[in-house]
């Protein structure tokens, strides 16, 4: 499963739909692909906190480790607009 599909499925679930729900034979999570794509596109430009998280890790941890650290940093950032 791709990150885009995982995100779309999660958005669908957050709206209260069960995994695998269909309407007229079409899986409902597919309706969430544009929103999921918008979220992933917003992650193209890392924040300072994301860069710092990646830079603080040794190279030996690998790309996946750096990616996870950057996403965790993004999830832990506070909303400055609130």
């Amino acid at each position: 499963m791709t990150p885009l599909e995982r995100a779309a499925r999660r958005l669908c679930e957050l709206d209260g739909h069960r995994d695998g729900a269909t309407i007229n034979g079409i899986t409902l999570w597919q309706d969430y692909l544009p929103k999921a794509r918008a979220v992933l596109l917003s992650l193209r430009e890392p924040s300072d906190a994301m860069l710092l998280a990646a830079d603080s890790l040794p190279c030996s941890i690998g790309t996946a480790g750096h990616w996870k650290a950057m996403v965790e940093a993004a999830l832990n950032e506070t909303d400055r607009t609130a």
Side-chain angles (χ1 to χ4, degrees), residues 16-64:
H17 306 290
R18 65 175 175 73
D19 189 34
T22 62
I23 293 180
N24 297 325
I26 298 171
T27 52
L28 196 53
W29 66 263
Q30 290 177 327
D31 289 341
Y32 291 82
L33 285 170
K35 289 180 182 179
R37 183 176 297 280
V39 170
L40 291 179
L41 285 171
S42 72
L43 291 172
R44 277 186 166 172
E45 297 297 326
S47 66
D48 291 341
M50 293 172 74
L51 292 171
L52 183 62
D55 288 344
S56 68
L57 297 174
C59 291
S60 61
I61 197 166
T63 304

Side-chain angles (χ1 to χ4, degrees), residues 43 50 53 65-77:
L43 291 172
M50 293 172 74
H66 285 90
W67 173 254
K68 288 178 183 179
M70 292 175 76
V71 171
E72 283 297 321
L75 290 171
N76 289 321
E77 286 186 279

